[in-house]
Amino acid sequence: MNIFVIFFSAILVNNFVMSRFLGICPFLGVSKRIETAAGMGVAVTFVMTLASAVTFIVYKYVLAAMGIEYLYNIAFILIIASLVQLVEMFIKKSSPSLYQALGVYLPLITTNCAVLGVTVINIQEEGFTFIDAVVNGLGGALGFTLAIVLLAGIRERTERNDIPKAFKGFPITLVTAGLMSIAFLGFQGIL
């Protein structure tokens, strides 16, 4: 499969948040400010891309070679947790304000189903090579970042608008996320 098709498909057509509905917890929880959403997007991009590479290698050359493919979930979760710890330590040292802003959502990247989802999709897709898996992970992460930053931008603008009392806060966020999901469905026929 063409890597450009895989890349743009992961960003727009098969967006983990908008089309596959994975990674909703950080999508809704960290999307109040563009800065924190972008920080979370960068962290998820690093973890998801690196997790795609490492898990593909571990699955192909360790688990499959030993005939213990059924342990892939455990192995993938351990790999993702290790990568998240690295990211957490780096952000804590390099940007304490971002570390504070992300709060509990940073360690929750470990349990972000979009990160685990992309690693499982990479091994289940027939014909995916190592490069295809990494490109799919990068595209999926950039699609997650695009979705969370767009929602954060919209949420910042809606805070300043006159919204009916019943829709203030989380209800308008859910309506906005639903409309964004419908908008992303428009990309279905492109690739």
Side-chain angles (χ1 to χ4, degrees):
M1 189 179 279
N2 187 340
I3 61 170
F4 294 109
V5 172
I6 294 170
F7 182 70
F8 289 110
S9 173
I11 294 174
L12 299 172
V13 178
N14 297 317
N15 186 290
F16 282 98
V17 177
M18 296 292 137
S19 297
R20 296 181 190 242
F21 306 110
L22 297 172
I24 299 294
C25 179
F27 172 70
L28 294 173
V30 185
S31 60
K32 291 181 181 174
R33 299 278 169 252
I34 291 176
E35 296 81 24
T36 55
M40 176 59 95
V42 169
V44 167
T45 299
F46 178 78
V47 171
M48 197 180 282
T49 305
L50 204 54
S52 294
V54 174
T55 56
F56 188 87
I57 292 169
V58 167
Y59 182 81
K60 194 98 163 164
Y61 300 108
V62 177
L63 299 177
M66 297 175 76
I68 53 173
E69 298 95 340
Y70 57 88
L71 293 176
Y72 73 89
N73 273 330
I74 295 168
F76 289 6
I77 290 170
L78 289 172
I79 291 166
I80 292 166
S82 301
L83 293 172
V84 169
Q85 285 299 310
L86 289 172
V87 169
E88 189 173 3
M89 290 186 306
F90 178 77
I91 291 177
K92 189 174 186 178
K93 292 285 185 195
S94 66
S95 179
S97 60
L98 178 60
Y99 180 77
Q100 289 294 329
L102 291 176
V104 71
Y105 292 101
L106 187 57
L108 285 178
I109 294 174
T110 302
T111 58
N112 184 343
C113 54
V115 178
L116 183 60
V118 75
T119 60
V120 172
I121 288 167
N122 287 339
I123 63 167
Q124 289 180 345
E125 284 291 325
E126 293 194 25
F128 258 26
T129 65
F130 174 76
I131 299 297
D132 293 343
V134 172
V135 167
N136 188 45
L138 177 63
L142 292 176
F144 176 86
T145 303
L146 173 67
I148 196 170
V149 168
L150 284 174
L151 182 64
I154 294 169
R155 285 180 79 174
E156 282 185 2
R157 291 191 68 151
T158 57
E159 279 182 4
R160 292 174 264 167
N161 292 338
D162 187 28
I163 297 171
K165 188 176 180 179
F167 284 104
K168 284 204 182 283
F170 201 62
I172 194 68
T173 301
L174 291 176
V175 170
T176 303
L179 292 172
M180 285 177 60
S181 182
I182 292 170
F184 269 76
L185 284 175
F187 294 114
Q188 290 293 325
I190 290 178
L191 300 173

